[in-house]
């Protein structure tokens, strides 16, 4: 095509090395209907390549690579956020703001940045919105396939490695994905609980899909009827023993540059320095669930206050061995007004105290003067 | 330190490059236009202006940006007209293929998901198009899906896109979403009120945005089908 030639754009479909999950090795642009639909629709999984004679060394950084150098996009994609995740004795908390901005304009004030992948894993997104949306879909699919093939859930660290390997071919391109995987690792059959299970909608869905899975069926075969009401209490001895080398809460950060980090507290985005400040101050492993939720909310709230690209509402997720639980989205506008009211009250009180003090001092002075006069 | 007039002139020369400048060829152009979609309980309206411009010139006064996809879905695209045309061609081909393979038309949600993957397929040389899909979902309720140029999308109840979107979106937030108002009764939007609101909103947009004007085309999607209406706007 003429435009393609002028731009020097090489259609990647001609250059894909033979690979099992890519379509149509002849690389033809024209496909029959049946081919189109049965082939993997994600043929863009292989990025544009040049000089890839064999399974090649993709020379994305070569000066002849046209896409990156010739034309600038005239529009911006969505960026800017505050997300955080941390572990503590009661599980994992994931929190994020809900503002999606695009170079000064807020494209969406109510976007959802925390997506559940399965009943025990949640991923917080940051970076380009379209990239995150799509890579999460791909990750969900791959994890589901793993679960069906190996009859156990992939661990958080495993998911992080998988995502990192999938993103590796795109290193150096414009794909910008920075996610935090927050979840609970555990072998379902080994963990037994004294109280019954509280099933969120997401957990139920997974259970239905796994009805053929024998390991899961055994764990579910004797549920207690009473609802679990102890999500706010500390974990008892049974659950504490399950937290060990291969079980327990985990957070992991994965970035499209290839970075993978594991830790106890992770915060991502333009508002993360502010969130880290609040988290470092308040985090302890022994926190209760309420304290942890409060801390996460406070961290996001302070970050939205100082960072222009974060704001609107805050979403909170709490993941335990029993699954994930979502708190209602909270509008931070109310919190700002409450904060202002509190500040006003404090100023009034201080004013009153100051006046009291002054009165007392005046009274004392008057007494002193009297006594002095008295002497003379 | 005081800068004399002579020094100031010399200094300015550092900032104004007066020699030959090379401009690279850009495959993108901005053709203007505004698109808006609103979803109600049992209807959806997609509206666009009909002006096609480039820089200071108007190429056409009769180039509407709403494209009817199925009996229950309308797509509005603004941005680069060349990419709009190609994108609609590809979507129509995929719709036909789906209909021939599955013996039914695609639903609005399915079209939205498909459009997202089509747009992401060109992640490294994107379609410069701002898409908004308006239609009825499987249950007959109005649905609006808004996209960014590389395929990120979500379902809304109203959205404005294109050159005047930054002006119109806050107005829609206030009038349809009842945002930023205290103690207001939240009445659900009726079809007549929505039509009138859209007409008023486009008249305001034409007053303040140079790329919007000439005429307004409304596509109203209800369970009876798609009705089109054209209303003139400022031509200057």
């Amino acid at each position: 095509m003429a435009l393609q030639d002028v731009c020097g754009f090489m259609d990647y479909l001609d250059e894909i090395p033979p690979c099992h999950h890519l379509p149509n090795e002849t690389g033809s642009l024209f496909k029959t209907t049946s081919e189109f639909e049965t082939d993997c629709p994600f043929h863009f999984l292989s990025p544009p390549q040049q000089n890839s004679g064999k399974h090649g060394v993709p020379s994305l950084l070569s000066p002849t690579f046209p896409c990156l150098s010739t034309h600038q996009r005239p529009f911006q994609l969505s960026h800017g956020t505050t997300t955080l995740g941390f572990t503590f004795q009661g599980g994992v908390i994931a929190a994020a703001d809900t503002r999606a901005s695009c170079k000064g304009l807020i494209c969406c004030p109510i976007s959802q940045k925390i997506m559940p992948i399965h009943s025990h894993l949640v991923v917080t997104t940051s970076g380009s919105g379209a990239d995150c949306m799509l890579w999460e879909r791909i990750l969900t699919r791959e994890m589901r396939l793993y679960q069906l093939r190996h009859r156990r859930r992939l661990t958080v660290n495993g998911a992080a490695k998988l995502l990192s390997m999938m993103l590796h071919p795109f290193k150096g391109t414009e794909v910008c994905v920075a996610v935090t995987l927050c979840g609970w690792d555990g072998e379902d059959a080994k963990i037994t609980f004294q109280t019954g299970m509280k099933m969120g909608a997401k957990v139920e869905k997974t259970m239905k899909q796994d009805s053929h899975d024998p390991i899961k069926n055994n764990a579910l075969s004797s549920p207690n009827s009473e609802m679990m009401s102890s999500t706010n209490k500390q974990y008892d001895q049974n659950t504490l023993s399950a937290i060990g080398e291969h079980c327990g809460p985990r957070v992991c950060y994965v970035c499209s540059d290839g970075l993978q980090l594991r830790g106890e507290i992770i915060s991502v985005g333009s508002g993360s320095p502010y969130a880290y400040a609040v988290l470092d101050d308040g985090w302890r492993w022994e926190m209760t669930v309420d304290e942890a939720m409060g801390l996460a909310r406070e961290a996001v709230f302070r970050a939205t206050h100082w960072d222009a690209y974060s704001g609107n509402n805050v979403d909170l997720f709490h993941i335990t061995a029993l699954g994930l639980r979502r708190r209602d989205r909270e509008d931070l506008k109310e919190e700002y007004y409450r904060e202002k009211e509190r500040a006003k009250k404090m100023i009034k009180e201080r004013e009153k105290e100051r006046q009291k003090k002054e009165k007392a001092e005046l009274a004392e002075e008057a007494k002193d003067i009297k006594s002095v006069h008295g002497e003379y | 330190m005081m800068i004399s007039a002579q020094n100031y002139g010399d200094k300015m020369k550092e900032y104004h490059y007066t020699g030959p400048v090379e401009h690279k060829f850009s495959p993108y152009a901005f053709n203007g236009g505004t698109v808006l979609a609103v979803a109600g309980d049992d209807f959806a309206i997609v509206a666009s202006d009909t002006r096609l411009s480039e820089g200071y010139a108007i190429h056409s006064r009769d180039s509407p940006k709403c494209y009817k996809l199925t009996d229950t879905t309308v797509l509005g695209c603004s941005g680069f007209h060349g990419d709009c045309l190609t994108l609609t061609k590809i979507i129509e081909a995929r719709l036909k293929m789906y209909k021939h393979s599955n013996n039914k038309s695609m639903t609005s949600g399915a079209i939205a998901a498909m459009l997202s993957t089509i747009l992401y397929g060109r992640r490294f040389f994107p379609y410069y198009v701002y898409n908004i899909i308006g239609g009825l979902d499987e249950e007959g309720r109005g649905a609006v899906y808004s996209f960014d140029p590389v395929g990120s999308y979500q379902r809304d109840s109203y959205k404005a896109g294109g050159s005047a979107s930054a002006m119109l979106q806050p107005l829609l937030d206030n009038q349809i979403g009842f945002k930023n108002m205290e103690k207001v009764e939240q009445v659900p939007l009726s079809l007549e009120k929505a039509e009138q609101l859209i007409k008023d909103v486009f008249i305001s947009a034409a007053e303040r945005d140079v790329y919007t004007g000439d005429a307004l085309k409304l596509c109203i999607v209800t369970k009876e089908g798609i009705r089109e209406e054209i209303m003139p706007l400022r031509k200057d």
Side-chain angles (χ1 to χ4, degrees):
Chain A
M1 294 196 301
L3 182 60
Q4 211 169 288
D5 289 338
V6 171
C7 297
F9 175 65
M10 292 298 293
D11 196 350
Y12 51 80
L13 284 175
D14 295 334
E15 301 281 321
I16 297 175
C19 189
H20 70 274
H21 63 270
L22 292 166
N24 202 349
E25 280 160 332
T26 57
S28 161
L29 267 176
F30 302 101
K31 303 181 179 208
T32 61
T33 314
S34 56
E35 257 182 13
F36 205 100
E37 299 212 335
T38 53
D39 284 343
C40 165
F42 296 121
H43 51 262
F44 52 80
L45 276 178
S46 175
Q49 288 182 27
Q50 287 232 305
N51 314 322
S52 59
K54 308 187 180 180
H55 273 277
V57 179
S59 49
L60 289 168
L61 301 173
S62 77
T64 55
F65 187 62
C67 288
L68 296 179
S69 49
T70 43
H71 44 262
Q72 287 290 324
R73 271 201 312 262
F75 48 79
Q76 278 279 350
L77 304 173
S78 39
H79 264 87
T81 185
T82 305
T83 67
L84 56 95
F86 60 85
T87 61
F88 69 111
Q89 62 77 26
V92 187
I93 300 276
D97 73 315
T98 59
R99 177 176 287 186
S101 55
C102 204
K103 203 183 186 179
L105 178 68
I106 297 177
C107 330
C108 183
I110 44 167
S111 62
Q112 194 188 355
K113 297 191 189 178
I114 310 188
M115 320 275 207
I117 301 255
H118 59 63
S119 58
H120 289 74
L121 181 63
V122 127
V123 67
T124 70
T125 63
S126 169
S128 162
D131 289 330
C132 288
M133 193 183 254
L134 195 94
W135 282 106
E136 260 159 46
R137 278 176 77 182
I138 295 174
L139 181 66
T140 311
R141 183 189 65 170
E142 292 300 321
M143 291 193 66
R144 184 70 188 134
L145 286 172
Y146 184 94
Q147 192 177 3
L148 290 169
R149 286 175 187 146
H150 297 88
R151 286 146 132 240
R152 68 178 184 91
R153 282 197 306 266
L154 192 54
T155 58
V156 176
N157 293 337
K161 275 186 207 153
L162 180 65
L163 185 59
S164 188
M165 293 306 288
M166 291 198 293
L167 285 172
H168 181 69
F170 295 92
K171 188 177 159 79
T173 66
E174 296 157 337
V175 172
C176 179
V177 172
V179 298
T180 312
L181 295 157
C182 312
W184 184 286
D185 292 337
E187 297 289 336
D188 292 322
K190 285 181 195 162
I191 296 177
T192 54
F193 292 98
Q194 289 170 337
T195 51
M197 286 215 253
K198 180 176 181 185
M199 300 254 230
K202 185 71 191 175
V203 178
E204 262 178 47
K205 217 199 224 173
T206 321
M207 298 305 177
K208 275 188 203 144
Q209 283 166 357
D210 292 341
S211 57
H212 63 277
D213 190 333
I215 297 176
K216 283 224 165 72
N217 273 338
N218 280 339
L220 289 172
S221 60
S222 56
N224 280 342
S225 56
E226 91 185 346
M227 290 287 274
M228 164 126 168
S229 56
S230 64
T231 44
N232 286 338
K233 296 183 200 157
Q234 299 254 357
Y235 273 65
D236 63 347
Q237 215 41 44
N238 277 357
T239 56
L240 279 175
S241 62
I243 299 172
E245 196 54 43
H246 301 292
C247 298
R250 295 264 187 276
V251 278
C252 201
Y253 168 73
V254 179
C255 165
S256 51
D257 293 334
L259 182 63
Q260 247 191 74
L261 293 175
R262 290 166 203 174
E264 285 159 341
I265 307 176
I266 291 177
S267 174
V268 186
S270 50
S272 62
Y274 312 107
Y276 272 126
V278 175
L279 287 170
D280 286 339
D281 188 44
W283 183 87
R284 290 168 302 120
W285 176 261
E286 305 81 23
M287 284 193 295
T288 64
V289 175
D290 283 336
E291 277 175 11
M293 297 261 224
L295 180 68
R297 184 184 154 283
E298 186 69 14
V300 175
F301 173 57
R302 297 293 166 202
T304 58
H305 181 57
W306 284 109
D307 179 32
Y309 291 100
S310 310
N312 295 98
N313 308 336
V314 58
D315 278 334
L316 270 171
F317 276 72
H318 176 215
I319 303 135
T320 58
L322 303 172
L324 59 89
R325 195 171 67 117
R326 184 191 179 154
R327 218 176 76 157
D328 286 335
R329 177 171 276 191
E330 185 187 339
D331 192 345
L332 288 173
K333 184 179 66 171
E334 307 295 319
E335 184 62 29
Y336 287 124
Y337 288 128
R338 279 200 290 266
E339 179 99 359
K340 274 216 162 110
E341 292 297 310
R342 278 201 291 266
K344 269 192 206 161
K345 264 196 207 163
M346 271 188 50
I347 290 173
K348 272 194 193 155
E349 275 174 26
R350 276 199 208 131
E351 193 53 43
K352 273 191 201 161
E353 273 181 34
R354 202 176 57 85
Q355 282 174 352
K356 260 199 223 165
K357 239 176 145 182
E358 269 179 18
K359 270 192 195 163
E361 275 173 17
L362 280 172
E364 282 243 1
E365 266 180 41
K367 252 206 285 178
D368 286 339
I369 291 170
K370 248 192 181 171
S371 63
V372 163
H373 278 299
E375 277 179 23
Y376 289 119
Chain B
M1 196 173 87
M2 294 278 279
I3 303 178
S4 69
Q6 176 75 21
N7 291 349
Y8 188 72
D10 287 338
K11 253 209 156 6
M12 277 296 108
K13 279 210 182 102
E14 289 171 8
Y15 296 105
H16 295 280
Y17 181 61
T18 49
V21 180
E22 185 185 341
H23 291 284
K24 289 208 184 102
F25 169 74
S26 167
Y28 294 116
F30 181 60
N31 292 119
T34 308
V35 181
L36 194 156
V38 172
D41 286 332
D42 58 350
F43 67 91
I45 305 181
V46 180
S48 78
D49 72 323
T50 58
R51 173 175 288 182
L52 189 73
S53 48
E54 186 167 352
Y56 294 112
I58 297 179
H59 288 315
S60 165
R61 295 194 189 274
D62 185 22
S63 167
K65 296 162 189 63
C66 316
Y67 300 91
K68 173 172 170 300
L69 297 179
T70 65
D71 285 331
T72 54
T73 318
V74 176
L75 169 68
C77 10
S78 66
F80 173 41
H81 194 60
D83 277 345
C84 293
L85 293 174
T86 307
L87 188 62
T88 46
K89 237 186 255 178
I90 291 179
I91 293 174
E92 276 162 18
R94 291 285 296 267
L95 284 174
K96 271 192 207 146
M97 280 159 43
Y98 184 96
K99 183 136 195 214
H100 292 151
S101 315
N102 301 82
N103 204 22
K104 64 177 182 124
S105 320
M106 280 183 98
T107 57
S108 298
I111 295 177
M114 179 183 75
L115 181 55
S116 172
T117 46
I118 292 174
L119 291 171
Y120 199 86
R122 288 271 296 255
R123 172 67 176 82
F124 300 106
F125 184 14
Y127 290 110
Y128 181 14
V129 187
Y130 293 94
N131 295 293
I132 303 182
I133 288 182
L136 301 176
D137 64 7
E138 292 95 323
E139 293 152 28
R141 279 201 291 266
V144 164
Y145 296 92
S146 61
F147 293 76
D148 83 346
V150 274
S152 163
Y153 79 106
Q154 64 170 58
R155 184 171 174 172
D156 297 307
S157 30
Y158 54 87
K159 186 79 179 176
S163 56
S165 61
M167 288 180 220
L168 298 183
Q169 189 67 28
L171 182 55
L172 295 178
D173 281 338
N174 183 266
Q175 291 296 306
I176 304 181
F178 301 106
K179 299 240 176 96
N180 308 313
M181 286 202 281
E182 304 277 322
K183 301 183 184 83
V184 68
E185 193 196 336
Q186 303 213 355
V187 183
L189 196 65
S190 68
L191 181 59
E192 294 74 26
K193 186 155 186 284
E195 273 184 62
Q196 194 50 52
L197 184 66
I198 291 178
K199 287 176 185 168
D200 290 338
V201 140
F202 264 90
I203 291 171
S204 318
E207 294 286 324
R208 286 287 186 176
D209 181 32
V210 301
Y211 300 112
T212 305
D214 292 332
L216 165 66
K217 181 170 176 192
L218 283 147
C219 296
I220 299 145
V221 187
T222 51
K223 60 179 192 298
E224 281 97 39
I226 300 182
R227 175 167 60 93
E228 291 180 9
E229 209 180 297
I230 299 187
M231 189 192 84
L233 290 174
R234 283 183 81 112
K235 290 184 170 22
D236 58 359

